Amino acid sequence: MSGTLLRWVCTGAALGALCTTAPPAHAAPGPGERPVAELLTDLQRLYRSAEETSETYNATEEKLKEQRARSALLDRRLAKARASVRDSRGDAGRFARQQYQGTGTLSPYLRLLLARDPQRALDQGRVIRRVAAERAATMRRLVGGEKKADDLAGAAQRALAAQAALAARQKKQRDEVDGRLRDVEELLSSLTVDELAALRQAEEAGTAEAQRKFLASGALGGSPAGRPPSRQGGTALDYAVRQIGRPYKWGAEGPEAFDCSGLTQRAWAHAGREIPRTSQEQWAELRRIPLTKLRPGDLVVYFPKATHVAMYLGDGKVVQAPRPGSRVKVSPIAANPVLGAVRPDPGGRAMHGYTPPKLPAGATSGSDLGYGGTQAPDATDSR
């Protein structure tokens, strides 16, 4: 068990003094009254529920970013249209004043018949026709500009309403994640240090057994460590490895903290390849590949709803941001139930002479059980 977790368990002010004799009103049965396997199942279920909601929050955040950009574009176009209408109105007013000041009793046709110099009159007539055409064009621009400005004003209002609705939805989702993480806090706060140690041992044993069965099944093919990445995949993996030790923070995209899909998105962006923000979108939109074709830099997606994602390191391991209270680390590929894999650069050719990145000390260490009160993103943040 990590020292951070022990300190949190014994001194965490946010949860109250665990080491006191008075348990919380909602506490689980006392020490030894619940099987470790049951506690572990409950804890994993709570974390998974929180991550599902977190990824939903991330998807809404992406939609909100797009909506803000659309609202800003409409505002700029509306301002330009209104300026054009003002100019057209100014031209129309000038023509009206000229018409009023130059009003005569004779039509251009009669002036032509009575003119002493017919050629000059014809030239004047052409000028008159040209001016009339310009005035007609100005009026068409004015009418069209006013309609365009009205349409843009309506679109801008609708875009603003959509933005407000997304912001409200995001706030609700943020509150839901907070509630699920409070459930984690409550469960952990009800346990003794011995129970926490037993939970960690049970989780590590379960992961080791799942990894053994996964590799023995041949799911990765005959040589899980022998495939080099593409050049972009190698660059993305190097970036992910350099983030080992940074804290998990749900909704975070780096550079100081990450959630699972924030890490994979930022790593591939560093390699020059933009990929979707959430694990569900990465699973839905990127090229799926069989696990037997995995190479470093590919993304491994977990759980039936694709609510977790990690980056394949090679040799049956992944780099991931596991869950709140943990840090970016190297884990066995079977640490969670594998759904499948995707490749952000399906056309990328494998590198020759690839050297795997050197892992920092403690890359695979650290308990994933503890929750340290990870701060939620602000739903009103304009990131």
Side-chain angles (χ1 to χ4, degrees):
M1 184 185 320
S2 66
T4 300
L5 177 57
L6 282 173
R7 287 193 298 273
W8 176 82
V9 168
C10 293
T11 64
L15 302 179
L18 173 64
C19 301
T20 62
T21 58
H26 53 265
E33 294 184 23
R34 294 184 66 191
V36 170
E38 181 182 320
L39 291 172
L40 182 57
T41 298
D42 285 350
L43 183 63
Q44 291 173 337
R45 174 181 55 79
L46 291 173
Y47 272 127
R48 182 177 170 185
S49 177
E51 188 158 44
E52 286 180 7
T53 309
S54 175
E55 287 296 272
T56 302
Y57 171 96
N58 289 338
T60 303
E61 169 68 7
E62 289 303 294
K63 292 179 182 178
L64 186 55
K65 287 179 182 178
E66 294 172 1
Q67 192 61 47
R68 288 188 183 115
R70 173 171 169 75
S71 295
L73 175 61
L74 285 171
D75 286 344
R76 291 194 297 270
R77 292 176 60 188
L78 178 58
K80 185 176 180 180
R82 284 173 171 167
S84 177
V85 167
R86 285 196 299 271
D87 292 342
S88 296
R89 284 176 176 166
D91 291 339
R94 177 168 53 83
F95 290 151
R97 289 192 298 273
Q98 291 174 351
Q99 180 71 20
Y100 175 77
Q101 294 168 355
T103 297
T105 58
L106 297 179
S107 69
Y109 178 69
L110 289 177
R111 285 201 298 268
L112 175 61
L113 291 178
L114 299 175
R116 295 181 180 179
D117 187 349
Q119 182 61 46
R120 182 182 178 191
L122 286 172
D123 293 339
Q124 290 176 337
R126 282 192 287 268
V127 171
I128 290 171
R129 286 193 296 273
R130 186 166 61 248
V131 170
E134 290 176 356
R135 291 176 178 177
T138 297
M139 294 307 297
R140 286 195 297 271
R141 285 197 303 272
L142 176 58
V143 172
E146 288 179 334
K147 183 179 185 305
K148 182 178 180 180
D150 288 342
D151 291 344
L152 285 171
Q157 288 180 337
R158 290 190 295 273
L160 187 61
Q163 179 176 324
L166 283 170
R169 185 195 309 174
Q170 187 190 47
K171 181 181 182 302
K172 180 180 178 182
Q173 291 164 351
R174 181 195 62 184
D175 294 342
E176 288 176 355
V177 178
D178 285 342
R180 282 160 172 74
L181 291 179
R182 279 194 297 271
D183 291 339
V184 174
E185 289 181 347
E186 291 170 0
L187 176 58
L188 292 174
S189 69
S190 71
L191 304 178
T192 67
V193 173
D194 288 343
E195 285 175 320
L196 287 168
L199 274 179
R200 182 185 178 193
Q201 291 173 1
E203 183 169 48
E204 290 175 348
T207 296
E209 178 63 13
Q211 181 77 351
R212 184 191 66 77
K213 291 181 178 179
F214 185 83
L215 297 179
S217 72
L220 295 181
S223 179
R227 302 182 194 91
S230 65
R231 187 169 299 279
Q232 280 187 309
T235 301
L237 181 59
D238 286 343
Y239 179 90
V241 168
R242 290 199 302 273
Q243 310 316 308
I244 289 175
R246 293 193 182 276
Y248 180 107
K249 178 180 178 182
W250 73 267
E253 306 170 32
E256 300 302 325
F258 299 89
D259 65 12
C260 68
S261 55
L263 175 65
T264 54
Q265 184 198 42
R266 177 60 73 94
W268 272 97
H270 180 76
R273 171 75 170 166
E274 293 296 330
I275 66 174
R277 170 64 177 92
T278 70
S279 57
Q280 291 99 331
E281 291 170 329
Q282 291 170 10
W283 173 246
E285 298 180 25
L286 300 180
R287 176 75 63 84
R288 296 184 188 180
I289 58 170
L291 294 174
T292 54
K293 301 296 184 182
L294 264 180
R295 67 187 185 191
D298 290 340
L299 306 183
V300 181
V301 183
Y302 296 91
F303 299 112
K305 295 182 180 179
T307 51
H308 186 69
V309 65
M311 183 175 291
Y312 191 58
L313 175 65
D315 198 23
K317 295 182 176 64
V318 294
V319 181
Q320 65 166 336
R323 61 196 187 194
S326 64
R327 295 179 179 273
V328 177
K329 61 181 289 189
V330 173
S331 302
I333 190 174
N336 294 298
V338 176
L339 175 62
V342 293
R343 179 167 293 167
D345 63 335
R349 295 183 178 181
M351 295 172 60
H352 294 293
Y354 170 69
T355 301
K358 184 178 180 181
L359 301 180
T364 61
S365 65
S367 171
D368 291 343
L369 289 177
Y371 172 69
T374 307
Q375 183 180 0
D378 184 353
T380 63
D381 189 359
S382 58
R383 291 175 297 146

